[in-house]
Amino acid sequence: MGKGNDNPTSGDVDLTSDGIDVDTRLKAINRELDEIDFELNRLNARRKKLLDLKERFRIQKQQEQSNIIAKNDWEAENFDWSAEVRRVLKDVFGMEQFRAQQLATINALLSKQNVLLLAPTGGGKSLCYQLPAVVCKGITLVVSPLISLMEDQVWALKKLGIKAEYLCSTSDKELVNSVQKALRNGDDADLKLLFVTPERINRSSRFKTALQKCYNAKKLAHIAIDEVHCCSQWGHDFRTDYKELGIFKALFPDVPILGVTATATTKVISDVQKMLQLSDCLTLSAPFNRPNLYYHVLEKPNDKEEMYDLLADLLKRKYHRMSGIIYTFTVKETTEISTELLQREVKVLPYHGQNMDPKQRSKTHQKWIDNEIQAVVATTAFGMGIDKPDVRFVIHHTMSKTMENFYQESGRAGRDGKRADCILLYRFLDMFRISTLSFSEYGGLDNLYSMVKYCINGKDCRRALISRHFAEVWDDTHCDKLCDRCFFRDKVQLPEQTITNHYETLVSIIRRAETLQTKLTALKLVDAWYHKGSPKNRLETPPPLLDRFIGEQIVAFLITSGYLKEDFQITPYSTLSYIVKGTNVPSHEGIRFQGARVLRIPKDSLKSIMKNDSICSKPTDDVELVSVSSNLSLVNNFGRTSTPKRKVTDISDREETCSIRSQASETSLNGSLSSGTGNKRRKNNSLSNSLSEFNNSRCSKYEQTLTAKKEINEDDEDVLFVPNDDEVIEIS
């Protein structure tokens, strides 16, 4: 048989020759395939390296261009518009001075320069496009991700006499027609700022046509993109419709674009510039530290009733007559917590963006703004950009999915510059509730694990942890004891210790389960370690001499550090998280970890900065104080602390799997929940007048008792976790 068309290179076997047996041919083929695979891997590695280098140089070039633009004195007040800017700042917005980077941003924007501004939550980013809109002619378009954000800003602007509107899916036809007519005609006498969602821009040809006519009439003054990090897939809140905003520079090349965000890395900012086609762009960054905010992590009780009591106790005692927000993880929880707090006579209302009547949502928002209710119990659909200055507390019922989200959400507090508290309730099992939803997202687990590390860190200043995440340089001197770690720095500290032996025990438990052909959730793993739950999962070694709360922290630390890892299994009804051995192995120095104590919120009261009538003392028509006979003992419980004493419970009987139902399943429960809430309210409405009078009397006694109550000795009550007798403790 003749040779084939291929020309073998020197040293290659002629695989078409009849004199070669099949085994030899197969070996030769496999050898050549291995060589090709090796070469492909080498070329792919080289390609990746070159792409990374190209991206790095692209970012460097952008930064150099930004630095050249930044050499202009943008803080100067010798521009043609400087006098008018000062007048509008004082006469329209009622402010005397600019905050960091505000004046530079405004001057650059009025100079028709593209700007990206990174400023902390509460840093006054909205003024950077609101003030130029008032100063110059034309209409300013603001792209915003949330209805609550747009509502809040439009309300505030109208109170200042500024013509502003917003369009969303619930806007009535008459408003849509009038706004689009003003756009087409470039009528800035009736419209100075227009807020829209990115979805409306992308999905409404009619709106884009009106916008084009406004530009052709030279009346499109500026375009502002709020939460601009949503443009980037590297950002923590990536939204597909934000990607399409790159059409702005193609359609309106002469219109300057301002992008603002509170959270974005260098990589995100570079990606945003690329997507929005901002070849020449000034990048400004204001300091992220909010020196008036106090950060604290509390242990979240496993028992729901204890958790509701804790929230009610905080709002009725620690934050009595103060305004705040309680953030939850799911829509279902907003309803549950609101109902339970109403039963405990705390004036709150739920807020979420899923299947909630838009008018009711707006009504809840307005009642909170007007201090007719004490707090809003909300998902993250509420609060971004909310400009209520007197928010004295933000409580996270469940930790956020990312540090960026947590920073933004907690930043709703203390916008007036006065002391405010940011409280996070941490529970081990919440880690897996979130991970089973976010593991498929780009960077989802890394983002979540950064949040877990923040919660379980028993050593470092909370501000230092936040600053590291945002690549800023802070230390505990910037904190001034405004976090639980720094406030209690001189108290008893849990020691840093080697936990390699605990790691080895946990790996042995996992291997034992594998031999039994079973899988362990995090809960079952901890149960087996503490000799709880199923006996077949336990080792013969004794349980650890650690409080379970610390043991759970160790497991969380091992997972977030890669010594253990989550293995996700998707079922038709839920996603399950099982724990397996990770890729990291202990070094010769072992694994070191310092557990976090459970600390009391300092007794330093916020009341000195609040007026007694800041929150309405009477319930409004829509906030009914649900009264039940089982709560009669509430009056007798004023002596207990603002955080209930922890008790170790065998939670294995309560929860056997670390799983969470899909969002679709959870949504289906909301209808029944809402009806349940309605039943309770109807029951409350049917109570007799005498019972209502009794409850009013009870509320009065409650407030009197609060006023008369003696302060609890801080030295006795600051540490809620006390180590076992056989644990080593140190006094720092």
Side-chain angles (χ1 to χ4, degrees):
M1 184 180 291
K3 292 184 180 181
N5 294 329
D6 294 336
N7 294 319
T9 59
S10 178
D12 287 342
V13 178
D14 184 359
L15 301 176
T16 62
S17 175
D18 291 335
I20 302 174
D21 61 61
V22 174
D23 288 341
T24 302
R25 291 179 180 179
L26 287 175
K27 288 179 181 178
I29 291 172
N30 288 333
R31 183 172 64 251
E32 190 171 351
L33 286 173
D34 289 341
E35 291 172 355
I36 292 172
D37 288 340
F38 176 81
E39 188 65 16
L40 286 174
N41 289 335
R42 186 187 68 80
L43 291 173
N44 282 329
R46 179 61 179 166
R47 183 176 185 274
K48 184 178 183 301
K49 187 175 181 179
L50 289 173
L51 288 174
D52 291 343
L53 198 60
K54 179 183 177 181
E55 181 67 11
R56 201 164 72 199
F57 284 137
R58 186 181 69 81
I59 293 174
Q60 182 178 337
K61 185 177 179 181
Q62 285 181 343
Q63 290 175 335
E64 289 173 353
Q65 290 175 330
S66 179
N67 291 337
I68 293 172
I69 300 171
K71 288 181 179 179
N72 295 332
D73 187 7
W74 297 111
E75 295 283 353
E77 299 200 42
N78 55 3
F79 294 95
D80 294 340
W81 51 78
S82 293
E84 180 65 5
V85 165
R86 274 289 171 185
R87 185 195 69 79
V88 171
L89 178 71
K90 183 177 180 179
D91 296 347
V92 178
F93 291 94
M95 301 177 185
E96 295 294 334
Q97 298 296 330
F98 288 105
R99 298 179 187 176
Q101 301 293 14
Q102 281 183 327
L103 180 58
T105 303
I106 290 168
N107 282 333
L109 193 63
L110 291 174
S111 299
K112 296 190 177 300
Q113 176 65 57
N114 300 315
V115 185
L116 289 177
L117 172 64
L118 281 76
T121 302
K125 295 183 290 295
S126 58
L127 184 75
C128 295
Y129 52 79
Q130 291 177 359
L131 191 148
V134 176
V135 168
C136 68
K137 295 181 180 179
I139 299 171
T140 293
L141 177 70
V142 183
V143 182
S144 182
L146 293 176
I147 295 174
S148 61
L149 187 156
M150 296 191 295
E151 278 182 339
D152 188 76
Q153 292 200 49
V154 169
W155 287 341
L157 288 168
K158 286 184 174 180
K159 286 181 180 179
L160 297 175
I162 300 170
K163 303 290 186 179
E165 295 292 350
Y166 72 94
L167 296 181
C168 63
S169 58
T170 60
S171 299
D172 60 62
K173 188 175 181 179
E174 184 179 347
L175 175 63
V176 173
N177 290 336
S178 65
V179 166
Q180 293 191 347
K181 181 180 178 181
L183 271 182
R184 289 193 300 270
N185 298 334
D187 187 2
D188 57 354
D190 288 335
L191 185 65
K192 292 297 293 181
L193 287 109
L194 175 61
F195 294 78
V196 296
T197 61
E199 289 77 11
R200 174 165 289 272
I201 294 173
N202 296 333
R203 300 171 192 177
S204 174
S205 298
R206 187 181 170 203
F207 179 81
K208 281 187 281 193
T209 300
L211 206 57
Q212 186 72 57
K213 289 185 177 181
C214 183
Y215 172 75
N216 293 338
K218 299 188 182 301
K219 286 299 183 75
L220 186 58
H222 311 114
I223 297 174
I225 303 176
D226 207 355
E227 310 298 342
V228 75
H229 62 270
C230 296
C231 293
S232 172
Q233 65 174 341
W234 302 102
H236 60 282
D237 282 327
F238 171 64
R239 282 172 64 161
T240 305
D241 285 291
Y242 262 84
K243 285 179 61 178
E244 307 303 322
L245 300 184
I247 64 171
F248 281 152
K249 270 302 170 186
L251 295 176
F252 319 122
D254 302 331
V255 179
I257 292 178
L258 168 64
V260 298
T261 180
T263 51
T265 62
T266 302
K267 194 169 187 178
V268 169
I269 289 298
S270 176
D271 198 31
V272 166
Q273 284 185 246
K274 182 179 179 181
M275 296 183 65
L276 296 180
Q277 303 180 40
L278 305 180
S279 55
D280 57 333
C281 180
L282 173 63
T283 302
L284 298 173
S285 180
F288 271 63
N289 186 23
R290 295 282 304 281
N292 61 311
L293 299 186
Y294 173 83
Y295 295 96
H296 194 110
V297 177
L298 283 176
E299 183 190 4
K300 180 179 177 179
N302 284 304
D303 182 79
K304 281 192 173 184
E305 290 300 317
E306 288 184 22
M307 187 269 295
Y308 298 140
D309 288 342
L310 166 60
L311 291 175
D313 203 40
L314 284 172
L315 268 64
K316 295 176 83 169
R317 288 190 52 236
K318 177 68 177 176
Y319 304 118
H320 183 53
R321 293 185 178 276
M322 299 179 194
S323 180
I325 305 171
I326 300 173
Y327 278 115
T328 66
F329 185 62
T330 65
V331 171
K332 175 183 176 182
E333 288 171 337
T334 64
T335 308
E336 283 182 342
I337 294 172
S338 298
T339 302
E340 293 291 339
L341 290 182
L342 284 169
Q343 288 181 334
R344 288 161 175 78
E345 299 174 339
V346 180
K347 289 178 285 185
V348 299
L349 285 175
Y351 186 107
H352 57 81
Q354 191 173 25
N355 299 327
M356 186 175 183
D357 180 65
K359 292 183 179 179
Q360 182 59 44
R361 201 163 52 218
S362 297
K363 195 173 182 181
T364 297
H365 187 180
Q366 188 64 57
K367 286 180 179 294
W368 180 70
I369 291 290
D370 294 339
N371 287 332
E372 295 180 17
I373 58 174
Q374 183 177 6
V376 171
V377 183
T379 60
T380 55
F382 179 82
M384 293 175 65
I386 294 297
D387 194 22
K388 190 175 192 293
D390 61 342
V391 177
R392 296 272 68 84
F393 64 90
V394 170
I395 299 173
H396 279 81
H397 165 265
T398 305
M399 64 181 167
S400 303
K401 292 169 62 176
T402 70
M403 282 293 293
E404 287 86 354
N405 284 342
F406 173 70
Y407 177 81
Q408 281 192 323
E409 291 151 12
S410 59
R412 306 280 78 82
R415 289 196 164 207
D416 54 6
K418 299 176 183 178
R419 160 75 182 263
D421 288 357
C422 306
I423 310 300
L424 189 156
L425 302 185
Y426 169 75
R427 185 178 66 162
F428 177 60
L429 294 182
D430 285 344
M431 173 179 172
F432 308 101
R433 294 180 62 216
I434 301 173
S435 70
T436 50
L437 289 178
S438 61
F439 77 97
S440 60
E441 299 172 3
Y442 187 87
L445 282 183
D446 289 338
N447 289 330
L448 170 62
Y449 290 169
S450 294
M451 195 70 241
V452 174
K453 289 175 183 177
Y454 171 86
C455 294
I456 66 176
N457 188 301
K459 180 180 180 180
D460 296 315
C461 164
R462 301 285 182 198
R463 273 183 169 72
L465 295 173
I466 295 173
S467 71
R468 287 177 205 165
H469 186 84
F470 293 112
E472 290 202 0
V473 181
W474 307 342
D475 53 42
D476 54 13
T477 59
H478 292 86
C479 189
D480 195 25
K481 294 189 174 183
L482 279 175
C483 81
D484 51 353
R485 291 285 159 255
C486 293
F487 188 89
F488 295 104
R489 182 72 70 193
D490 298 330
K491 301 292 183 179
V492 177
Q493 299 285 345
L494 293 180
E496 185 177 22
Q497 55 186 304
T498 300
I499 59 170
T500 311
N501 59 326
H502 297 313
Y503 162 75
E504 292 171 349
T505 301
L506 291 164
V507 170
S508 297
I509 295 172
I510 292 171
R511 285 174 177 163
R512 175 183 173 85
E514 289 173 350
T515 61
L516 297 173
Q517 296 185 336
T518 186
K519 296 184 177 183
L520 297 177
T521 63
L523 178 61
K524 288 184 178 180
L525 177 61
V526 176
D527 280 347
W529 190 23
Y530 278 83
H531 286 214
K532 303 290 184 182
S534 175
K536 69 177 182 179
N537 294 329
R538 306 175 193 173
L539 300 180
E540 294 180 359
T541 55
L545 298 176
L546 294 167
D547 183 275
R548 179 161 178 144
F549 182 63
I550 302 300
E552 290 174 346
Q553 288 183 40
I554 289 174
V555 174
F557 173 78
L558 292 172
I559 294 172
T560 58
S561 302
Y563 297 104
L564 302 177
K565 72 173 184 178
E566 294 185 73
D567 180 33
F568 298 97
Q569 302 291 322
I570 300 176
T571 73
Y573 304 103
S574 62
T575 300
L576 305 177
S577 166
Y578 297 109
I579 308 302
V580 298
K581 187 177 181 295
T583 55
N584 288 351
V585 294
S587 66
H588 66 279
E589 297 177 351
I591 307 172
R592 305 280 296 174
F593 175 67
Q594 182 170 346
R597 300 179 306 155
V598 181
L599 299 168
R600 163 168 317 286
I601 300 175
K603 69 178 182 180
D604 296 352
S605 178
L606 301 176
K607 293 183 182 179
S608 59
I609 61 174
M610 300 294 295
K611 295 181 179 179
N612 289 334
D613 58 352
S614 60
I615 300 294
C616 177
S617 59
K618 295 181 180 179
T620 62
D621 293 339
D622 291 339
V623 186
E624 300 171 13
L625 302 183
V626 182
S627 305
V628 291
S629 59
S630 61
N631 282 342
L632 294 178
S633 60
L634 184 65
V635 181
N636 299 321
N637 290 333
F638 300 137
R640 68 183 180 86
T641 58
S642 61
T643 307
K645 292 288 185 181
R646 251 185 6 86
K647 61 181 180 181
V648 180
T649 57
D650 183 5
I651 56 177
S652 61
D653 294 334
R654 283 191 230 130
E655 204 165 344
E656 278 295 311
T657 180
C658 296
S659 64
I660 184 168
R661 293 195 176 275
S662 64
Q663 300 227 25
S665 299
E666 186 135 40
T667 304
S668 66
L669 296 174
N670 293 335
S672 59
L673 253 170
S674 300
S675 63
T677 306
N679 290 337
K680 290 182 179 180
R681 289 188 174 181
R682 284 192 293 272
K683 180 179 179 180
N684 180 60
N685 289 335
S686 64
L687 291 175
S688 64
N689 291 333
S690 59
L691 181 56
S692 298
E693 292 174 3
F694 172 76
N695 284 323
N696 291 333
S697 173
R698 226 174 82 200
C699 289
S700 177
K701 288 181 180 180
Y702 177 82
E703 294 183 0
Q704 293 171 11
T705 308
L706 277 175
T707 306
K709 183 182 176 297
K710 295 181 179 179
E711 293 287 350
I712 299 173
N713 187 305
E714 180 187 289
D715 292 334
D716 294 335
E717 298 292 341
D718 67 323
V719 182
L720 294 186
F721 167 70
V722 180
N724 294 332
D725 293 338
D726 51 357
E727 285 190 81
V728 179
I729 61 174
E730 294 178 354
I731 306 296
S732 58

